[in-house]
Amino acid sequence: MEYTIRDARPEDMGQVLNLVQELADFEKEPNAVEITEKDLVSHGFGDQKMFHCFVADTQDGIAGIALVYPRYSTWKGPAIHLEDLIVSKKMRGSGLGTALLDEVVKYGASLGVKRICWEVLDWNEPAIEFYEKKGANVLRDWDVVQLDEEGIKNYIESLN
């Protein structure tokens, strides 16, 4: 199947959200997605753009996405974070993931970033193998640390 990798447009965000939900289902977190199509449009477009999204457009619609946002490394300097690289189940193995990752790397290079980083679940061996084949270093000795919305609220309350 033929596809085109391009910058996402606001009208793509419904299909982008569908792919985000497909990923959540795959990662066994079907109820974790809280974001809405309206949120994606307001956060990804306009004056204070919070992310940049590439889509893989096919004759059947959007079949993959790569969503990135800026970061900064105190050791290296400017960086981007690849939040999600999602390829619909029916398109896995088609080269679409490679094409999306290629676009992310070219985008990062055009920005002059020193690093592109992302996370992968430790049980997702196909993704780990894919990233390692592309030359990425999977840092298995690092743990992801997060404060979720409830954690932020509790933290703030503990300051009083």
Side-chain angles (χ1 to χ4, degrees):
M1 179 179 284
E2 290 187 27
Y3 54 83
T4 303
I5 307 298
R6 62 171 173 77
D7 292 339
R9 299 185 289 254
E11 59 269 20
D12 298 326
M13 292 301 104
Q15 292 179 76
V16 167
L17 183 58
N18 290 340
L19 285 169
V20 169
Q21 185 61 56
E22 184 177 325
L23 177 65
D25 295 342
F26 172 76
E27 292 183 352
K28 301 171 182 63
E29 298 240 17
N31 299 315
V33 178
E34 297 176 11
I35 201 93
T36 67
E37 180 180 348
K38 184 178 177 183
D39 293 330
L40 288 168
V41 171
S42 69
H43 298 158
F45 303 90
D47 294 338
Q48 296 197 355
K49 191 173 156 176
M50 298 175 81
F51 64 83
H52 188 87
C53 184
F54 298 99
V55 297
D57 201 359
T58 72
Q59 65 187 23
D60 296 330
I62 306 299
I65 70 160
L67 190 143
V68 300
Y69 59 87
R71 284 180 75 165
Y72 191 83
S73 166
T74 56
W75 289 11
K76 304 293 182 187
I80 58 173
H81 183 86
L82 173 59
E83 178 64 18
D84 280 320
L85 190 152
I86 306 169
V87 175
S88 67
K89 188 174 183 176
K90 68 181 179 182
M91 289 296 289
R92 291 187 194 138
S94 69
L96 201 111
T98 294
L100 285 163
L101 186 58
D102 291 352
E103 203 62 32
V104 167
V105 174
K106 290 188 291 186
Y107 176 72
S110 76
L111 296 175
V113 301
K114 303 295 184 183
R115 181 166 61 203
I116 301 170
C117 48
W118 63 95
E119 289 97 25
V120 61
L121 289 168
D122 61 358
W123 56 261
N124 192 347
E125 286 300 325
I128 291 168
E129 289 174 24
F130 171 78
Y131 295 134
E132 288 179 333
K133 274 188 195 176
K134 300 298 179 191
N137 298 317
V138 177
L139 306 174
R140 296 182 187 262
D141 54 343
W142 283 77
D143 290 324
V144 176
V145 179
Q146 296 180 338
L147 274 174
D148 62 11
E149 191 173 17
E150 184 69 20
I152 294 167
K153 178 179 166 258
N154 292 339
Y155 190 105
I156 295 297
E157 287 175 359
S158 74
L159 296 175
N160 298 331

